[in-house]
Amino acid sequence: MESGVLIEVSGGRIASLQADSAPGDAVVLDGLVIPGLANAHSHAFHRALRGATQLGGGTFWTWRETMYRVAAALTPDEYLELARAVYAEMALAGITCVGEFHYLHHAPGGVTYDDPNAMGEALIEAAAQAGIRITLLDTCYLSSGFGAPPDETQLRFSDGSGEAWAERVSGLKERDHARVGAAVHSVRAVPADQLGVIGAWAAQRNAPIHAHVSEQPAENEGCLAAYGVTPTRLLADRGLLGPRTTAVHATHLTSEDIALLGGSATTVCMCPTTERDLADGIGPAREVQDAGSPLSLGSDSQAVIDLFEEARAMELNERLRTRRRGHWTADALLRAATVDGHASLGWPEAGTLEVGALADLVTISLDSVRTAGSLGSVRTAGSFDSGRTAGPLHGAETAVFAATSADVSDVVAGGRVIVRRGVHQLVPDVAGALRQALARVAS
């Protein structure tokens, strides 16, 4: 770890890094500076469920019914307002890029908006207003389960066929802050004969493709009954696994599934907070990585927006499962939250602090009750400057095992300061914006 580093930025990218430099007129970032975080799996509208679904008991399936009620109520304007506030909350947590797994496409009853991509455009605009980048993972969702027609709420999600989905998604345009990828909601929601359409669309554009995979045992059982294979094997047989693909959750895998994911270098996105909140289970993250899969992390249901918590939860879950410590180094866990997360979203130029990378910088305060004494006094910066260091240099360990999102003080995304001393520069009252947006959804 270096101190007193001057980071010069040009065109939103890191132009140079100079250690032991005087700050001059640079913006000084006081604390431990790490690359911007990538939230590789998000459903923005689930933020409306925080607190409400923690009452009582139930399962993933009972939680889903509550989620559907929220999905039924949103309009494009309401979604823009809500997502802007949610993405601003992400920025406060050090997230500079989000992968939005987007399946809320149409008006109630499946009626197409005048702009067929009105809901997706609302998310892209929300990210711009919050100052972060987005990969809109436009999601194909055609069935309520292994060929059954969509129910009333799910009509909002469905384009009717893979070809109609592809035609609509082709109307989305990428921007400097926004890229477009594809997603298969699940093998429950996309019939096997439609999977190739989604894969071909993504392949033609060299775009990322994400899919929920084996989140629940019932999904595996249904897939075996319908097709005689596991969801992972079905995706492999249809040509959807590979380095551009991310399998989300991958909780209930067979040994063959693990070999298929790892052997194809398919990324696996773990969302430990959501997985434990919904009682999904603990996925075999260590095994899939050992088999060859990179790992990324996501906030998913927004029960918590804190990638430091997601990173340490992956390690701590594994400790509970195996009763052994030390399955990943802190550096490896931070890599999942940064460089590998960005790569899974189609931003390979982000997630590192090196010349040519996107200038995404996150400062972790070292004087909170959680981090005080971890590194002594550290200042890191850039055109942006960093200063003095004292004490043991355990930066990654402090970030992953001590800090929380509340310790993020400054965030720079693409060379632009979007959070300064804990205040969002574009959405100054994020809590107020969330209250207002959530009140509109609830009304």
Side-chain angles (χ1 to χ4, degrees):
M1 190 179 74
E2 299 285 346
S3 63
V5 178
L6 181 67
I7 304 174
E8 294 185 330
V9 175
S10 177
R13 295 178 181 256
I14 296 174
S16 69
L17 298 122
Q18 304 170 45
D20 300 318
S21 297
D25 61 356
V27 175
V28 176
L29 305 178
D30 288 305
L32 171 68
V33 171
I34 63 172
L37 305 176
N39 185 356
H41 189 68
S42 163
H43 303 291
F45 76 90
H46 289 192
R47 177 61 176 80
L49 301 172
R50 186 182 297 177
T53 58
Q54 279 69 41
L55 295 170
T59 66
F60 166 87
W61 305 102
T62 54
W63 168 88
R64 190 177 74 159
E65 293 308 310
T66 305
M67 180 269 286
Y68 280 174
R69 287 196 290 274
V70 174
L74 284 168
T75 67
D77 287 345
E78 289 168 346
Y79 208 7
L80 171 59
E81 183 180 11
L82 175 59
R84 172 179 177 265
V86 174
Y87 294 157
E89 181 182 358
M90 290 183 189
L92 290 177
I95 293 163
T96 54
C97 185
V98 61
E100 184 62 36
F101 200 98
H102 166 56
Y103 55 84
L104 187 51
H105 301 307
H106 306 297
V111 177
T112 303
Y113 289 108
D114 291 341
D115 175 357
N117 288 303
M119 295 295 265
E121 291 289 352
L123 292 165
I124 290 172
E125 177 60 22
Q129 292 185 18
I132 68 173
R133 293 190 303 280
I134 185 172
T135 297
L136 188 73
L137 297 162
D138 197 289
T139 304
C140 188
Y141 193 130
L142 305 174
S143 169
S144 64
F146 298 104
D151 66 21
E152 183 177 355
T153 299
Q154 293 165 342
L155 288 172
R156 295 199 73 175
F157 311 160
S158 177
D159 290 293
S161 69
E163 290 79 8
W165 168 86
E167 181 179 0
R168 178 183 55 74
V169 177
S170 295
L172 286 163
K173 305 301 181 187
E174 296 192 341
R175 273 139 270 195
D176 288 345
H177 80 289
R179 292 178 182 172
V180 179
V184 172
H185 179 274
S186 60
V187 297
R188 289 184 290 108
V190 181
D193 62 3
Q194 300 291 295
L195 291 171
V197 177
I198 293 90
W201 184 93
Q204 289 167 5
R205 293 158 177 79
N206 198 32
I209 181 167
H210 288 220
H212 291 135
V213 176
S214 293
E215 183 176 3
Q216 288 289 319
E219 177 184 317
N220 291 352
E221 294 160 6
C223 191
L224 286 165
Y227 305 117
V229 295
T230 65
T232 300
R233 167 54 75 182
L234 183 62
L235 293 172
D237 289 347
R238 300 290 168 152
L240 267 68
L241 299 187
R244 288 186 294 101
T245 300
T246 296
V248 181
H249 302 304
T251 308
H252 302 283
L253 301 180
T254 66
S255 57
E256 182 193 30
D257 293 339
I258 292 170
L260 287 168
L261 292 169
S264 60
T266 296
T267 296
V268 171
C269 180
M270 308 302 292
C271 307
T273 296
T274 293
E275 288 148 9
R276 64 192 180 195
D277 183 47
L278 300 183
D280 287 343
I282 299 171
R286 184 67 264 177
E287 287 92 332
V288 293
Q289 188 163 53
D290 287 345
S293 288
L295 296 176
S296 61
L297 297 165
S299 65
D300 192 3
S301 69
Q302 324 303 351
V304 171
I305 297 177
D306 187 340
L307 287 195
F308 305 116
E309 172 61 22
E310 304 297 345
R312 69 174 153 264
M314 191 161 66
E315 165 68 23
L316 298 180
N317 282 353
E318 194 70 8
R319 293 182 186 186
L320 287 173
R321 190 171 72 88
T322 64
R323 291 180 289 176
R324 287 191 302 107
R325 302 177 73 230
H327 300 274
W328 290 274
T329 65
D331 284 331
L333 294 169
L334 199 56
R335 180 183 177 91
T338 56
V339 62
D340 286 342
H342 286 287
S344 79
L345 297 177
W347 298 88
E349 68 271 45
T352 61
L353 299 182
E354 58 186 34
V355 173
L358 285 166
D360 295 349
L361 314 171
V362 172
T363 308
I364 299 170
S365 171
L366 294 173
D367 56 8
S368 79
V369 293
R370 291 165 294 278
T371 61
S374 299
L375 294 171
S377 176
V378 181
R379 285 174 30 175
T380 309
S383 249
F384 306 106
D385 162 73
S386 100
R388 299 164 296 280
T389 302
L393 304 182
H394 299 305
E397 289 76 12
T398 296
V400 172
F401 291 107
T404 73
S405 60
D407 297 311
V408 172
S409 60
D410 299 277
V411 179
V412 179
R416 178 190 191 187
V417 178
I418 59 171
V419 176
R420 185 64 170 153
R421 299 187 179 91
V423 178
H424 200 292
Q425 301 301 286
L426 307 176
V427 188
D429 181 10
V430 177
L434 284 163
R435 283 193 297 269
Q436 180 174 314
L438 292 168
R440 284 190 67 185
V441 173
S443 64

